[in-house]
Amino acid sequence: MMRAALASRCPRRTSRRTAPILLLGLAAGILAPETAARERLHRRFDHRNGLEVSHVTAIGQDGDGFLWLGVLGQLLRFDGSEFRRWNTDLLDFNHLHWHAGLGMLAKTSPDGGVWRVTGDGLEPLLGAEDPVLGPVWWLDVGPDGSLWLLEESGVLHRRTPEAVWSRHEPALFGGEEPRQVYGSRHGAAHVGTRQGLWRLEPHGSATRLLAEPGTKMVAEHPGGALYVTVRGRTQLREASRLLELHDGAVRTVHTFPSRPVDILVRGEDVWFTGSETFRYQPGGVVERLDPREDAGVPFPDLFVDREGSLWLGGYDGLVQFPEPDTFAFTAADGLPDIPAFGDFARTAEGIWVAFYDGLGWVRSGPDGGLRAETARRGLFAWDLCVDGAGRLWTFQAPSPGDGSGSGRAGVLERTEGGFRFHPVGEDPFAAGPCARSAAGTVWFLVGDQVYRTSPDGGAPTQTGPGPGAWETVFTEDGGRLWAGSRDRLCSIAVGASGIQGPWACEDVPQMGWTYDLHTMPSGAQWAATGRGLFRRVAGGDWEEIAGAPRQTYHEIIASPAGGFWITSAGPALRVAERPDQPEGLEVLERLTMWQGITSGRNRNLLEEPDGTLWITAPQGPIRVPPSARFAPQPVPAVALVEVLADGERLPVTGRIELPYARNRLELRFAALSYRDPGRVRYRVRSEPGDAWSETRTPGFRLTGLAPGRYQPEVIASLDGVHWSPVPARLSFRVRPPWYRTGWALALVSGAVALLLYAVYRARVAVLLRLERQRTRIAMDLHDEMGSGLGSIGILAALVSSQGLAPEKRDTIAGKIAATAEELGGKLRDILWSLRAPAADLQGLASHLAECGGRLFPGPDGRFHTAFPERWPPAPLTLAVRRNLQLIALEAMHNAARHAGASAVELGFDPSGRRWRMWIEDDGDGMPPARPEASAPERGIGLEAMRHRADQVGATIHWLPGRQGGTRVEVTFRPGAEDRRLRRWGR
């Protein structure tokens, strides 16, 4: 079996003498803590780390896994990291029980109220329809789900899982007043009175079990026994007892000097409290918990959660024992004062432990329990080895004057009832690691010499030289002795007569100090070094094992359960060799806080055949029972515990909506596992179906989310393999911006539809206007030029007739010329109205003046104009300028052809936002038979003029002229459109 020397062997030969002395002083002055008997790993919560008030009066756990605490005036929910207050009024809680149908139930005192915990507070459990009338003195929930309520008056009520109530009067118990009730299996209960203990059956009959005044607390053991605490007194002080009731027999298990407070069963053990806390192992011994580890003596409350952790609540806060069955033996138990960093060995006498200041052991006591002692003081023990005969051997560097060897280094042999010292070597501080061979021989490396023991005992004999340096490793492996120091490994063959041949050494600078070697089942060698775990296959080089974290490793120890234990600066691991996998190993077991391990600095380990582990730790040897190693590790439930939106706390249930652009959401989840929080890991994803992301942080922050619905999910695990079957999730919605809401989109859609429709109608209007314009132009060409061209055709036919007199031919030719000239003028008018220069009022006036000059030629000034001195910008639409042009030309033609006018005036002047155009002559005037001045007798020409004025929204009037003629006056708006185009193309 391999043995590794201490890390303090690292200094070179020049510092060998001083290193043990320095380490001894360091351990005595710095590392030695103030320890307590059978020290356990525990955590304390009080006002310094989360509890506002440290006095805990009740502990419970709900179906989700949250812990609930009653403190002075407050009900707190604990998720592993935060204590959150749940009540608003000051209430004192002294009972907390989980009921599968009703939820978490809380009883308060002194009012005796019973409350049910809701999602955001408390509500009364009992209503007007419930039969409980008076204040409740006691509350309990049985294993079958029955709710038991004990009124202060002594009346007992049971609510079945089917919500059926039953009532039991005190007379049922012989007139004795019930003071406690504990639900039992199958609807029964154990009822404690002031005079004893009764069993109440489901059908309502009661049987006395114990006639002991002062009966207080009752716990039912899985094996069928009942454990009862009975309060009593001697003449000087309290003297309470723990009784065991089994198969009709009553036995006193333990007497303790205080009144009983609480009792429970955890596994096979019974825990009970008074002024101190005790553990009783049925058929074994009673152990007192160290007073400094419990929570506020003298009145601690006991509770075991679903993971098996033991909780104590009292005056000074809350204490958790993740695994109370694991504990360390310390100096308070009788071991050496200086912490143990040495080796383990097992003989028929017990477990031996090497200390810096002596040799200790743990063995069975007379009462069947374990007790620890110091077997030898004043020595600096190294490795411990057991030979084939079962004798214990170790090398010691004795303290001067201890009488064991006059200060010389030597080998210590355990003999019957004592020790025998064998001086070897000359240097009292020379390293002395030992190794046991397969044949049962023990080898020692002392200085630069190798010694071996005899199978029959006696002084070790020198067999040959060592590798020449003070080494850190000395082990027998595969028929060879191995020794190593910094960056070097040496080996030599051994046989029945001793070492054979020279030492073979190799340099291994990549490994630094080598502490242990072992040949694996595959034939590969593994090395525990200061720089990691290495392996070498036959004929190859040393390589680091990828699956082992890079840290300092101390020992490689074969396990009876299979695989190998590897101790290190971190947790001890039991691994299996996996040469076919890239990691090179598979972790089978990891010792952490879950098993109650108090320290990660575990140098050595010993596994007994029944699965019990012994681990060296600074405070002393730690004993880990099989029950702690193989305790079930349930997959932790995970719950959403806090939602913050822009720093404001929101309810974790219900509908959550966040505004757009201000949606910073912080979520905090909790894996409801309290036994080993460091093992908890999380997986998160933003939506179901997305890939999981693994993290150690129980929460995350979401910012800048796009509008939509989200449902982040979280699961948790303790081992990275088994994950929460049901994720914790939060459903919420980020509202869209206002312009993306339904009403805004509907409004915009309507506006766009209207705009498109307006564009469509405007396009249709434009197309209609163009079509009408083309039609109008065609009609103008037909009206203005059709008849003239027809006349020219007829006259041309006459001119070409044979036998036409010359004078008639000349007359007809003149008519053809006059008609052609007239048609040319009309064509010029039409073309002018379509040209760009005609687009304003001044252009229209100039063109009409030119036309009037042609109609009234002559030097006598028969045609006059009355125009403004300055024309303002007044663009005209095509419809306005064309219709005004035709109205003016028609009026001037009428004056020239029908009125016999000698003078005509064309005028324009502004009239507000409109303009006025007039054509005034001095001719014959209006017909005498007209009905009114503004409406002369209508002919086709006048009707056409009125129609054209209506088309562009103008007004036209026929008025008497100033010189007796006629005045045609048109009032118009320059930018008017054709009225027929204003109604979307009509």
Side-chain angles (χ1 to χ4, degrees), residues 214-225:
T215 299
K216 296 294 291 184
M217 306 294 171
V218 179
E220 192 170 9
H221 196 275

Side-chain angles (χ1 to χ4, degrees), residues 500-627:
Q500 299 174 355
W503 288 86
C505 296
E506 59 179 317
D507 293 331
V508 286
Q510 71 273 22
M511 298 194 304
W513 289 93
T514 303
Y515 298 120
D516 201 4
L517 289 169
H518 204 289
T519 300
M520 293 293 159
S522 68
Q525 279 188 310
W526 281 22
T529 78
R531 296 177 181 172
L533 194 62
F534 288 79
R535 70 179 175 184
R536 176 173 62 179
V537 298
D541 297 327
W542 289 98
E543 63 179 11
E544 190 172 0
I545 298 177
R550 182 169 293 180
Q551 59 187 0
T552 298
Y553 290 90
H554 301 300
E555 294 279 347
I556 305 173
I557 307 159
S559 169
F564 299 85
W565 286 103
I566 301 174
T567 62
S568 66
L573 306 176
R574 185 166 65 91
V575 303
E577 184 189 21
R578 294 289 183 264
D580 56 330
Q581 297 180 4
E583 295 81 6
L585 57 80
E586 176 188 359
V587 177
L588 305 177
E589 191 173 349
R590 186 188 307 268
L591 300 181
T592 64
M593 190 180 296
W594 187 277
Q595 290 79 25
I597 306 301
T598 58
S599 172
R601 296 177 294 170
N602 310 130
R603 181 171 296 278
N604 213 324
L605 181 145
L606 185 148
E607 182 177 3
E608 299 191 69
D610 67 351
T612 301
L613 292 178
W614 294 88
I615 304 173
T616 54
Q619 66 270 43
I622 299 175
R623 181 182 181 272
V624 183
S627 61

Side-chain angles (χ1 to χ4, degrees), residues 845-846 848-850 852-853 863-868 904-908 918:
S846 300
L848 292 178
E850 181 181 352
F863 181 77
H864 304 280
T865 60
F867 295 162
V904 177
E905 183 182 66
L906 171 67
F908 285 88
W918 71 87

Side-chain angles (χ1 to χ4, degrees), residues 514-855:
T514 303
Y515 298 120
D516 201 4
L517 289 169
H518 204 289
T519 300
M520 293 293 159
S522 68
Q525 279 188 310
W526 281 22
T529 78
R531 296 177 181 172
L533 194 62
F534 288 79
R535 70 179 175 184
R536 176 173 62 179
V537 298
D541 297 327
W542 289 98
E543 63 179 11
E544 190 172 0
I545 298 177
R550 182 169 293 180
Q551 59 187 0
T552 298
Y553 290 90
H554 301 300
E555 294 279 347
I556 305 173
I557 307 159
S559 169
F564 299 85
W565 286 103
I566 301 174
T567 62
S568 66
L573 306 176
R574 185 166 65 91
V575 303
E577 184 189 21
R578 294 289 183 264
D580 56 330
Q581 297 180 4
E583 295 81 6
L585 57 80
E586 176 188 359
V587 177
L588 305 177
E589 191 173 349
R590 186 188 307 268
L591 300 181
T592 64
M593 190 180 296
W594 187 277
Q595 290 79 25
I597 306 301
T598 58
S599 172
R601 296 177 294 170
N602 310 130
R603 181 171 296 278
N604 213 324
L605 181 145
L606 185 148
E607 182 177 3
E608 299 191 69
D610 67 351
T612 301
L613 292 178
W614 294 88
I615 304 173
T616 54
Q619 66 270 43
I622 299 175
R623 181 182 181 272
V624 183
S627 61
R629 287 180 59 189
F630 305 117
Q633 301 182 17
V635 177
V638 61
L640 177 65
V641 296
E642 187 175 51
V643 179
L644 297 176
D646 290 322
E648 178 183 356
R649 188 190 294 266
L650 300 179
V652 297
T653 58
R655 185 177 180 180
I656 296 179
E657 290 194 355
L658 304 177
Y660 174 72
R662 291 183 65 252
N663 52 32
R664 186 183 65 182
L665 192 68
E666 298 177 58
L667 308 179
R668 189 171 71 83
F669 296 85
L672 302 177
S673 176
Y674 309 92
R675 186 159 175 166
D676 189 358
R679 298 183 60 187
V680 176
R681 62 192 69 182
Y682 299 87
R683 282 180 177 174
V684 300
R685 62 183 179 186
S686 58
E687 288 290 334
D690 291 352
W692 292 103
S693 298
E694 193 162 329
T695 178
R696 291 281 185 175
T697 304
F700 52 89
R701 177 180 298 176
L702 302 171
T703 58
L705 295 175
R709 296 189 178 275
Y710 296 86
Q711 192 179 60
E713 295 183 331
V714 176
I715 54 178
S717 174
L718 293 174
D719 55 9
V721 177
H722 305 92
W723 295 87
S724 306
V726 179
R729 60 172 59 96
L730 174 70
S731 297
F732 66 94
R733 172 177 172 262
V734 176
R735 293 194 296 267
W738 66 267
Y739 52 82
R740 290 180 57 183
T741 57
W743 65 268
L745 292 176
L747 184 62
V748 171
S749 299
V752 170
L754 290 176
L755 178 62
L756 293 176
Y757 183 71
V759 171
Y760 165 75
R761 294 303 300 268
R763 177 62 178 167
V764 170
V766 170
L767 294 176
L768 286 175
R769 185 173 61 183
L770 293 177
E771 183 63 25
R772 290 183 181 277
Q773 196 67 38
R774 287 192 291 268
T775 301
R776 186 182 299 112
I777 293 172
M779 292 177 62
D780 288 345
L781 290 175
H782 177 271
D783 294 343
E784 299 292 341
M785 305 186 67
S787 60
L789 291 175
S791 299
I792 291 176
I794 294 173
L795 293 176
L798 293 175
V799 169
S800 62
S801 299
Q802 298 294 329
L804 185 66
E807 60 275 10
K808 287 188 177 183
R809 187 183 304 277
D810 293 339
T811 302
I812 292 174
K815 288 183 179 181
I816 292 174
T819 303
E821 182 179 1
E822 183 180 359
L823 290 179
K826 291 181 178 181
L827 181 60
R828 283 194 302 273
D829 292 341
I830 294 173
L831 293 177
W832 174 88
S833 67
L834 300 177
R835 293 172 58 199
D840 60 3
L841 189 60
Q842 184 178 4
L844 174 64
S846 300
H847 176 72
L848 292 178
E850 181 181 352
C851 293
R854 291 197 302 270
L855 285 174

